[in-house]
Amino acid sequence: MMAPTPLRRVWRLLALLCLTVPAALAAPLATPLTPQEEAGKKIYLEGVSPSGKPLKAFIGAQELPVEGATLPCGNCHGADGLGRPEGAVKPGDITWGHLTRSYGHRHDDGRTHGAFDEQSFSEALTYGKDPAGNRLDLAMPRYLMALDDMSALVAYLKRIQTDLDPGLSAERLRIGTLLPVSGRLAEMGQAMGAVLRAHIEVLNARGGLVGRKVELVVAEYSDDRATSLKNAEQLFTEAQVFAVVSPVTSGLEREAAALAERLKVPVVGPFTLRTQMAADVNRYTFFVLPGLAEQSRVLAEFAATHLKLQDPVVAVVHPQEDGMAEIADAAVESFRERGWNRSVAVHYPAGRMPARELVAKLQQAGVQMLLFLGTDPEMEQLGTHIRDAIWTPYLLAPGVRVGRSALHLPTTLGNRVYLSYPTQPSDITREGATALGGFQRSAGLGPRHQATQASAYASILLLEEALKRAGRDLSRAKLINALENLFSFETTVTPALSYGPNRRIGSMGGYVLSVDLGGHRLKPASGYIRIE
């Protein structure tokens, strides 16, 4: 029997060290909130009544009225209700166990009173007086809300201490990922998993993140789509993960986005060539690098500004696969926005490109430029038939799809072949190279799958930074908010990442390289092209 390779040994160790989905299922599931408690949570965190009834806050000695959403309870008292000092203001602990303790309360200002009950708590919020009739601090607003909303708020405060998001405890933070561990993509999955695990080990050696040790749950991405979907569903639901980092979602993009949206699970850095189109956009998925749609826009911008053509006939050629028509239509729109109005999308059956007929059709239509969204083998066929037709159009394509075959196209195409990439080697700084090199040496990874290793590393760094900004008083909502407020975050292995309330792709742009067909190499044709 052959001895296992270092990479195989690493992956076996990884499988032992990390939680797997079946093991994670043994974790106790959080008790769901009742409808009344859910309503109270919305009032507490957002200052909004789920029933749509008016909810007002009154602030200061003048009791100025504002909408409840301006001053929700959670803003000062925290998602856990414990309250944390901010400057001169010291919000109190409003967990129900603390409010109702039998020996009452003594405050720093000398104010004393007995335990709260439901009635006295409601009166305190409404009239600003404690159970002994003392005036509450002026920093504490008064609230006017319907009786059933007040009852819902009290019901939630009775649960608030145990209402932590899944995957979160006082000592542990559980995150998940979806990776190929067997089959044709196993080596890539092993490399990504080794990077994630190695960085998590470093974090835990330093004391963890936001005061918690980090656990990694690994679910399997399979060559069988149905199996991958089942494993993804288990990861998002039964595995009780707080967030998902760097999952491989190729072919599962819509389903993974829908899971994240429905279950409110933050997903950071999904590894796929298809980012969210307009119909799929949700608050919970954050991409590190742009996909095919954005890289097509990069090529359109480059062509319009560098190739000096006057309204050429452009064909965006794509297979009939899920989502590809939307990407092609977006590319056509990008060309037309730049004044190239004779741009059209042309499709062919997935996996069955009729190369000879397609080339004849495009040549007869006077096409001067092709933006090709097919695969490596299809690019080879296309090149062969373009040569045989004695035709020399400009040929553009996202390099992540056809980078290998593009280097070996017929030389008759001359210097008319251009590829776009979301990153280039110079994006990896000395610090990033040192980190990746350390992972490679310790895990026996070697130079293969450098791009996937960099993607996984950027994703875990992004999640780490957002968690630190969210702080110890952690929730999924706070993590989402922290991610939305990241601007020009340096991963050391990709272009800087920026997000916002309506932006879910960190790096919006790419580089264009020309193909030296005689030398079988790539040459820079542009700097970084932004498509904000």
Side-chain angles (χ1 to χ4, degrees):
M1 179 182 293
M2 294 180 63
T5 66
L7 186 56
R8 288 175 181 165
R9 286 197 296 269
V10 167
W11 193 243
R12 289 178 184 175
L13 179 62
L14 182 65
L16 292 173
L17 292 175
C18 297
L19 296 173
T20 58
V21 167
L25 298 187
L29 298 177
T31 304
L33 299 177
T34 67
Q36 185 187 40
E37 290 165 348
E38 284 283 5
K41 183 175 184 177
K42 187 174 183 67
I43 294 167
Y44 180 81
L45 293 177
E46 302 177 31
V48 175
S49 168
S51 65
K53 297 175 181 177
L55 199 163
K56 296 284 186 180
F58 300 85
I59 56 176
Q62 303 301 317
E63 297 190 344
L64 299 174
V66 297
E67 293 297 324
T70 306
L71 289 172
C73 308
N75 271 15
C76 295
H77 295 280
D80 55 10
L82 296 177
R84 286 167 179 78
E86 296 184 17
V89 179
K90 298 181 178 179
D93 180 342
I94 58 170
T95 58
W96 199 248
H98 179 80
L99 289 173
T100 59
R101 62 189 188 186
S102 59
Y103 51 87
H105 300 262
R106 176 179 293 275
H107 299 274
D108 293 343
D109 60 3
R111 180 168 55 89
T112 62
H113 58 84
F116 283 94
D117 57 20
E118 293 186 17
Q119 179 66 29
S120 59
F121 178 77
S122 299
E123 291 175 352
L125 256 63
T126 305
Y127 303 112
K129 293 184 179 182
D130 66 27
N134 301 309
R135 181 77 182 180
L136 301 181
D137 192 294
L138 287 176
M140 173 65 193
R142 292 193 301 108
Y143 290 91
L144 181 63
M145 65 180 81
L147 289 177
D148 53 349
D149 285 341
M150 184 68 77
S151 297
L153 177 60
V154 170
Y156 180 65
L157 290 179
K158 293 178 180 180
R159 277 290 309 275
I160 192 170
Q161 285 183 289
T162 58
D163 183 36
L164 294 175
D165 284 325
L168 192 64
S169 72
E171 299 81 24
R172 296 284 171 177
L173 172 64
R174 181 182 292 179
I175 62 175
T177 190
L178 183 71
L179 298 175
V181 298
S182 61
R184 60 187 180 87
L185 298 178
E187 187 174 317
M188 181 191 81
Q190 290 163 0
M192 295 174 71
V195 168
L196 294 176
R197 180 63 194 180
H199 189 68
I200 288 172
E201 286 179 347
V202 170
L203 292 176
N204 285 337
R206 295 173 181 167
L209 273 174
V210 290
R212 298 170 172 91
K213 294 291 186 179
V214 182
E215 296 176 347
L216 182 66
V217 177
V218 180
E220 182 176 5
Y221 174 91
S222 171
D223 288 338
D224 177 66
R225 188 172 185 275
T227 300
S228 290
L229 283 174
K230 178 182 177 182
N231 292 343
E233 180 88 28
Q234 286 186 330
L235 178 68
F236 277 79
T237 55
E238 301 171 59
Q240 293 282 289
V241 294
F242 178 77
V244 175
V245 64
S246 194
V248 176
T249 59
S250 181
L252 313 175
E253 293 89 354
R254 293 184 188 275
E255 292 84 357
L259 280 170
E261 178 77 10
R262 176 166 59 87
L263 301 170
K264 297 180 172 56
V265 179
V267 178
V268 178
F271 188 78
T272 176
L273 296 180
R274 301 179 189 179
T275 52
Q276 295 170 330
M277 302 300 289
D280 298 321
V281 171
N282 66 68
R283 292 194 63 224
Y284 295 90
T285 303
F286 293 79
F287 296 89
V288 170
L289 296 175
L292 294 178
E294 295 76 31
Q295 289 304 290
S296 297
R297 290 173 58 195
V298 167
L299 288 166
E301 176 66 21
F302 169 81
T305 56
H306 289 73
L307 299 185
K308 311 301 181 186
L309 300 175
Q310 296 297 318
D311 194 18
V313 180
V314 179
V316 180
V317 180
H318 67 94
Q320 287 181 302
E321 298 173 0
D322 183 40
M324 292 303 290
E326 297 165 286
I327 293 172
D329 289 343
V332 168
E333 183 61 27
S334 293
F335 282 116
R336 291 180 176 174
E337 287 174 355
R338 289 157 178 81
W340 291 7
N341 296 311
R342 296 190 293 169
S343 301
V344 297
V346 178
H347 63 261
Y348 58 87
R352 295 183 290 111
M353 184 181 75
R356 185 188 302 275
E357 294 83 353
L358 180 62
V359 166
K361 175 183 175 181
L362 296 174
Q363 185 179 25
Q364 185 176 9
V367 170
Q368 297 161 268
M369 178 182 295
L370 294 178
L371 173 53
F372 186 65
L373 300 176
T375 64
D376 254 322
E378 291 169 342
M379 183 71 141
E380 290 182 7
Q381 297 177 48
L382 192 68
T384 297
H385 290 287
I386 286 176
R387 178 199 61 199
D388 294 346
I390 316 176
W391 183 36
T392 55
Y394 284 94
L395 183 53
L396 283 59
V400 290
R401 289 277 276 184
V402 298
R404 179 184 59 80
S405 60
L407 293 175
H408 302 284
L409 289 169
T411 56
T412 54
L413 281 167
N415 60 351
R416 293 189 166 212
V417 181
Y418 295 94
L419 306 178
S420 63
Y421 287 91
T423 63
Q424 64 178 7
S426 62
D427 289 328
I428 301 179
T429 67
R430 180 176 298 180
E431 179 184 353
T434 299
L436 287 178
F439 295 149
Q440 290 168 352
R441 287 188 297 274
S442 64
L445 295 177
R448 284 174 57 81
H449 305 293
Q450 180 87 352
T452 54
Q453 292 175 44
S455 176
Y457 184 54
S459 299
I460 192 67
L461 285 181
L462 176 62
L463 178 59
E464 175 190 356
E465 179 66 17
L467 286 167
K468 287 178 178 176
R469 296 192 184 197
R472 171 73 186 179
D473 182 21
L474 184 60
S475 67
R476 285 172 171 172
K478 287 195 170 184
L479 175 60
I480 294 293
N481 184 66
L483 285 163
E484 286 184 339
N485 283 282
L486 280 174
F487 180 76
S488 290
F489 174 65
E490 297 289 348
T491 68
T492 72
V493 295
T494 67
L497 307 179
S498 296
Y499 298 92
N502 298 307
R503 173 170 167 162
R504 288 298 184 268
I505 301 174
S507 171
M508 285 291 284
Y511 304 90
V512 175
L513 292 87
S514 64
V515 182
D516 176 359
L517 296 173
H520 305 294
R521 61 192 180 95
L522 300 175
K523 300 187 298 184
S526 77
Y528 189 74
I529 298 176
R530 298 187 184 278
I531 53 170
E532 305 291 347

